[in-house]
Amino acid sequence: MRPPSGIVGLGTDVVDIARLTRLIDRGGTRFLDRWFRPTELRSFAAEADGRQVAALLAAKEAVAKALRVPGDGPLLWRDIEIVPGPAVLLHGRMRDLALTRGVGSFRLSMASAPDHAMATALAIAGEGQTSL
């Protein structure tokens, strides 16, 4: 069955950069490894400051909100990968959820200011699953 075209979901998130920086300082590599895939950390390593990491985190949360992730267990943040562009690649449980919901692609916008980073994700229905 062909899913209808159109918007499946919309998500927005804002991250406080100072708070995230404190979490990274406390949790170090363990914190980053829990939230980000190695490819994300490498892709953005040249620019990785608090604002960049906060924008990535906001983007992941925005994608989760756009997919309307059910609250029946821990969210595997590494199943949402943000790649340069920015674009979204999904893995594992998140990919399965997107396919179930009929999501064919995402549109993602990220921005930062001195104190906050934000992202908005639009989940779009469609047959072509190439961007998942």
Side-chain angles (χ1 to χ4, degrees):
M1 179 177 183
R2 183 177 176 183
S5 61
I7 297 171
V8 175
L10 174 68
T12 298
D13 194 60
V14 177
V15 173
D16 181 295
I17 295 169
R19 182 174 180 269
L20 179 64
T21 301
R22 286 191 302 274
L23 289 171
I24 293 170
D25 289 346
R26 263 194 307 234
T29 304
R30 205 175 88 206
F31 174 86
L32 292 172
D33 289 343
R34 188 176 332 129
W35 285 85
F36 300 102
R37 299 176 74 81
T39 51
E40 287 174 301
L41 295 173
R42 279 194 304 272
S43 295
F44 294 103
E47 312 168 36
D49 59 10
R51 286 189 306 175
Q52 183 66 32
V53 175
L56 286 173
L57 189 61
K60 287 176 178 264
E61 182 69 32
V63 168
K65 290 175 180 177
L67 284 174
R68 300 180 324 275
V69 174
D72 62 349
L75 179 63
L76 303 174
W77 292 106
R78 290 169 47 113
D79 281 357
I80 302 170
E81 182 177 1
I82 309 301
V83 298
V88 178
L89 295 177
L90 298 178
H91 307 276
R93 182 176 165 218
M94 297 306 292
R95 182 178 171 82
D96 294 343
L97 179 62
L99 293 171
T100 299
R101 299 240 196 277
V103 175
S105 62
F106 288 89
R107 299 295 180 268
L108 184 62
S109 176
M110 299 163 57
S112 63
D115 297 328
H116 295 87
M118 66 136 332
T120 298
L122 186 63
I124 301 172
E127 285 184 54
Q129 305 299 329
T130 55
S131 60
L132 297 182

